[in-house]
Amino acid sequence: VVVAATDGSEGSQRAAHVAASIAQKNDSKLYVITVVRPPEGWWGICGAPPTATALAKALDQAQHSVLDLTIKDLDTEGIEVQTVEELGDPAATIIGFCSEVEADLLVIGRRGAGLIERFVMGSVSDRLAHYAHCPVLMIP
């Protein structure tokens, strides 16, 4: 089982292509997962939070866009591909998913987080490389 994690970035697109190629060569199932961290306070100090329905719809549309962008150009001939949409902390959710499906390989793009985010919590790719329970292939 090969898992490709995508956030729609150029690096994660390259990672998905590599993951699909590896899955083809090894006759493996490919999961393409995207995880969105629910925004906290993104509506501003004076604004009202969106309704739960509006927030869910916006997040769902964002995830579909990311997955559609990722899948549309992949060569998936001969392999089973399943897309997965999750909400939560990206690193923890991806690590949990890889354990759940007993992934043989996690393929991710290397993309730097902002300096503040990296200082406070580390980048998602760094956390995946350190804590995933399967080998991690990081694509520049």
Side-chain angles (χ1 to χ4, degrees):
V1 172
V2 178
V3 176
T6 184
D7 60 4
S9 68
E10 197 174 297
S12 70
Q13 298 297 319
R14 286 192 299 273
H17 282 275
V18 170
S21 177
I22 291 170
Q24 281 182 321
K25 290 176 183 168
N26 292 284
D27 195 28
S28 297
K29 182 172 186 174
L30 174 64
Y31 287 98
V32 180
I33 184 171
T34 186
V35 181
V36 173
R37 180 189 313 272
E40 298 175 17
W42 62 274
W43 45 85
I45 295 172
C46 299
T51 65
T53 303
L55 179 59
K57 184 176 179 180
L59 292 174
D60 187 53
Q61 287 174 341
Q63 287 180 310
H64 281 303
S65 295
V66 166
L67 289 173
D68 289 347
L69 176 68
T70 302
I71 295 294
K72 74 174 187 169
D73 291 329
L74 289 184
D75 178 7
T76 59
E77 186 176 335
I79 59 172
E80 182 181 350
V81 179
Q82 186 172 339
T83 59
V84 180
E85 302 171 11
E86 295 286 346
L87 294 176
D89 173 70
T93 303
I94 293 166
I95 290 167
F97 180 79
C98 286
S99 293
E100 179 184 320
V101 299
E102 298 180 358
D104 298 302
L105 179 66
L106 170 60
V107 185
I108 58 174
R110 181 185 55 134
R111 187 173 81 105
L115 183 59
I116 302 293
E117 182 182 355
R118 180 168 297 185
F119 179 73
V120 172
M121 60 201 290
S123 74
V124 171
S125 59
D126 286 343
R127 290 173 55 209
L128 291 171
H130 283 94
Y131 298 108
H133 303 290
C134 63
V136 177
L137 176 58
M138 195 177 302
I139 304 300

